[in-house]
Amino acid sequence: MEQLSDRIQSRRWGVFNHFLYGNPGSEMPTGKDLSDWNAQVENFDVERVARDLHEIGAGWYFITVMQGRKYMLAPNATFDRIAGTKPGEACAKRDLISDLYDALKKYDIDLYLYYTGDGPYKDVEIGRKFGFSEPRGHVTMDFVKNWAAVLEEYAVRYGDKVKGWWLDGMYGDFFHYTNELMEPYYRALKKGKPQALTAFNNGVFKECLKWFENEEMTCGEFNDFVYVPEKRFIDGAQAFILAPLGIAPDGSEWGRWRRPGCSVTHEYMKDYVSRVNKAGGVVTIDIYVGPDGSWDPAQKELLKGI
């Protein structure tokens, strides 16, 4: 049986893209009316993304299934049933995840997905139907079961096509997530691919930490490329680091995500990835992605030959 922790460790580094409704973080004109979610998803050029990833030598690619809103990256009947929405109203008509897999497979680039632990809370009426909306408080098992059911549909549909999942917003302090409350998500993912890597994010810390008792890799969210793990496994979880390359308009660390620009040099990034790899860890770099799948040319150039 293939050990995916060995697979990702051998591939060394990859790329992360936020692809969200309205393309937040974008400072590049599109020339098209992409005000409709389905139009935005249809406009995303998966072949272009795959070619760019191949050109820079990335081993894997992460994309957001959703974040905070009702807009999902692919159809999901379970979501529509709970939310009371019709196909295409919230969940995209195009199965962008399957299309991405097909494009990435040509270059032997692995696909990973991002999901959240707070659901479509910003769309208050739909959030209430799931059991969690603004003002966000503590999650309940009823909400978790609803939201994990949506995740399970995706996980089962994609199976071996997705190598792992990074689940954001699994906060202990803010939402009172516990091992018991995270377990339904874990079971849902394992129904799709028992060997899939999972990571449950409890926030930004000074080092890689294992949060959920069964996760196979750390979330490792940072706002810069500084931390280097001391060893490959943290309490049995693969040391995994995720941080943004972009530059925030206001100069803040938190504002670097999904932004163009380069906060470090090519030489620095190459050395940083090398040091993390030598310690046994892996690095995922968040970059800007346009609504058509285009990247910031400066970021693409920096990533070549890492």
Side-chain angles (χ1 to χ4, degrees):
M1 183 179 297
E2 180 186 30
Q3 294 294 322
L4 291 184
S5 59
D6 291 338
R7 183 181 178 94
I8 195 171
Q9 201 260 353
S10 69
R11 293 179 174 229
R12 304 181 59 193
W13 71 279
V15 166
F16 186 104
N17 280 165
H18 286 81
F19 185 72
L20 306 173
Y21 176 71
N23 198 39
S26 171
E27 293 158 356
M28 300 181 184
T30 67
K32 295 184 178 181
D33 181 8
L34 302 179
S35 57
D36 176 74
W37 175 235
N38 285 297
Q40 185 177 330
V41 173
E42 287 291 341
N43 190 60
F44 194 78
D45 188 344
V46 297
E47 299 295 339
R48 179 177 186 171
V49 169
R51 287 194 303 269
D52 284 345
L53 289 164
H54 175 66
E55 185 177 342
I56 65 173
W60 60 84
Y61 176 72
F62 266 92
I63 193 167
T64 49
V65 176
M66 49 72 63
Q67 190 181 70
R69 301 289 301 277
K70 65 183 180 181
Y71 301 105
M72 313 292 285
L73 207 58
N76 192 291
T78 304
F79 183 99
D80 287 335
R81 175 178 57 80
I82 296 172
T85 50
K86 298 178 181 178
E89 288 182 343
C91 306
K93 295 178 181 178
R94 178 189 185 186
D95 192 336
L96 187 54
I97 296 170
S98 285
D99 289 350
L100 272 168
Y101 170 78
D102 291 339
L104 296 173
K105 184 180 179 182
K106 299 173 186 177
Y107 302 101
D108 190 31
I109 297 169
D110 289 341
L111 176 63
Y112 287 78
L113 297 178
Y114 167 106
Y115 196 75
T116 74
D118 49 9
Y121 71 92
K122 290 183 179 180
D123 293 290
V124 178
E125 290 187 10
I126 290 179
R128 286 173 179 165
K129 291 179 180 179
F130 277 96
F132 198 67
S133 62
E134 293 281 28
R136 290 176 292 173
H138 302 163
V139 295
T140 64
M141 184 59 79
D142 286 341
F143 162 73
V144 167
K145 289 179 178 178
N146 282 335
W147 195 228
V150 174
L151 180 61
E152 181 177 321
E153 180 175 328
Y154 282 137
V156 170
R157 178 190 305 162
Y158 302 125
D160 290 340
K161 293 181 179 180
V162 177
K163 302 302 182 188
W165 298 75
W166 201 96
L167 276 61
D168 201 4
M170 297 287 172
Y171 305 131
D173 290 342
F174 301 127
F175 301 155
H176 285 206
Y177 264 109
T178 62
N179 283 317
E180 181 183 5
L181 287 168
M182 289 184 279
E183 181 67 26
Y185 299 112
Y186 183 77
R187 291 199 303 268
L189 295 175
K190 295 303 178 178
K191 286 184 179 179
K193 182 176 178 61
Q195 299 81 30
L197 299 178
T198 64
F200 292 71
N201 190 32
N202 191 27
V204 177
F205 295 91
K206 294 182 179 180
E207 59 185 346
C208 285
L209 300 171
K210 183 176 182 178
W211 170 228
F212 175 54
E213 62 183 0
N214 294 323
E215 64 186 359
E216 295 85 8
M217 65 182 183
T218 68
C219 268
E221 181 184 0
F222 296 89
N223 290 316
D224 51 35
F225 298 96
V226 175
Y227 169 78
V228 176
E230 295 182 357
K231 53 187 177 180
R232 178 182 173 186
F233 292 105
I234 312 297
D235 294 329
Q238 168 69 51
F240 175 97
I241 291 169
L242 171 63
L245 177 59
I247 297 176
D250 61 1
S252 69
E253 289 186 354
W254 288 97
R256 292 176 180 170
W257 295 91
R258 63 180 182 268
R259 293 287 183 179
C262 301
S263 57
V264 298
T265 65
H266 168 82
E267 292 75 15
Y268 181 93
M269 184 64 79
K270 186 174 182 179
D271 176 69
Y272 175 75
V273 171
S274 176
R275 287 186 290 125
V276 173
N277 291 159
K278 287 178 180 177
V282 299
V283 180
T284 300
I285 302 165
D286 172 81
I287 66 171
Y288 168 83
V289 60
D292 59 353
S294 62
W295 297 354
D296 173 20
Q299 290 184 338
K300 181 179 176 182
E301 188 63 29
L302 181 141
L303 294 175
K304 289 180 180 178
I306 292 181

